Amino acid sequence: MQELIILLMNKYGYLAIFFLITIENLFPPIPSEVILTMGGFMTTYTSLSVAGVVFFSTIASLFGAIILYYVGKFLNRERLMRIASGKAGRLLHLNPADIDHSISWFQKKGNKTVLYCRFIPILRSLISIPAGMSEMKQGTFLLYTTIGSVIWNLVLVTLGSFLGASWHSVAIVMKQYSQVTKTALMLICAAAVLYFLTKKQKTKKAGNS
């Protein structure tokens, strides 16, 4: 994967950066740390500039985020509640009240969440979906997404440019950061599943007693 990314960026420059960052937003496993730090390194021996790489990567981040925002908007509160209340919801142990509470919480706290999650691998992409679900104002969503994306992109591109041929060291550190994040997310998901299953079991016991 890394070799393909480097090949595309060497051949197509800004166009490849835009394409790859857009794909990275839609398919989080593609490593943005490799794309951005490599882009920074390329500014030391090609016509690419730090400002140009940051600009095109930020535009791509916004483009990908908007797509996921509208995916979330399609899966709005009403549709989710219908799914949770139906057969699929029962099979997946979804509680309509929990979903309603989560969306209400995001509507109150979502602004800062969208900003902070831009610095967390995987979540930096996926956070756009609940933003759309909660019908967060598009202007506000784009503002916080832009701020977070510019900071994330600028830091990695600048580090890649500063370190030059040693840009791999940044990518390695960021890969470790991503792995820690993925592990933490898996543990949180497992804990959430365990919590809901335990809660359901207690509800059943209370109903039978």
Side-chain angles (χ1 to χ4, degrees):
M1 176 65 74
Q2 182 170 311
E3 291 75 15
L4 177 60
I5 290 172
I6 294 171
L7 177 65
L8 289 172
M9 290 176 64
N10 274 314
K11 189 171 183 179
Y12 298 107
Y14 291 131
L15 181 61
I17 291 169
F18 177 85
F19 172 75
L20 290 168
I21 292 295
T22 299
I23 296 299
E24 183 266 338
N25 272 267
L26 300 176
F27 303 99
I30 294 178
S32 66
E33 58 270 16
V34 172
I35 303 168
L36 296 170
T37 51
M38 176 58 190
F41 170 47
M42 287 176 65
T43 65
T44 65
Y45 70 91
T46 69
S47 60
L48 299 183
S49 67
V50 170
V53 175
V54 171
F55 174 78
F56 280 97
S57 59
T58 300
I59 294 299
S61 297
L62 288 171
F63 183 64
I66 289 171
I67 292 174
L68 292 180
Y69 173 85
Y70 277 99
V71 168
K73 208 159 189 181
F74 176 77
L75 294 171
N76 57 25
R77 185 193 295 247
E78 290 72 25
R79 286 192 175 91
L80 281 176
M81 294 295 283
R82 284 202 298 269
I83 291 171
S85 301
K87 186 176 181 180
R90 290 192 294 273
L91 288 172
L92 295 171
H93 305 292
L94 296 177
N95 187 331
D98 289 333
I99 292 175
D100 190 60
H101 176 74
S102 298
I103 293 176
S104 296
W105 178 89
F106 195 90
Q107 286 175 331
K108 295 176 182 177
K109 308 289 185 180
N111 292 358
K112 292 182 179 179
T113 304
V114 168
L115 175 61
Y116 297 149
C117 283
R118 292 297 164 192
F119 310 117
I120 304 174
I122 300 179
L123 285 183
R124 66 188 302 270
S125 300
L126 299 181
I127 193 63
S128 301
I129 296 176
M133 284 180 180
S134 65
E135 297 184 350
M136 181 179 183
K137 290 182 179 179
Q138 187 171 313
T140 304
F141 169 75
L142 291 176
L143 174 63
Y144 282 97
T145 297
T146 300
I147 294 171
S149 297
V150 167
I151 295 172
W152 174 266
N153 297 340
L154 181 61
V155 168
L156 290 180
V157 173
T158 302
L159 282 173
S161 177
F162 177 75
L163 293 172
S166 300
W167 67 272
H168 284 283
S169 59
V170 180
I172 290 171
V173 171
M174 292 305 298
K175 184 177 181 181
Q176 293 172 341
Y177 172 51
S178 297
Q179 290 298 331
V180 170
T181 303
K182 290 175 185 176
T183 302
L185 288 174
M186 289 175 65
L187 291 174
I188 291 171
C189 289
V193 170
L194 183 62
Y195 169 78
F196 285 120
L197 289 177
T198 303
K199 185 178 178 181
K200 185 176 182 181
Q201 192 65 29
K202 287 181 179 179
T203 304
K204 279 186 177 180
K205 287 182 179 179
N208 293 331
S209 61

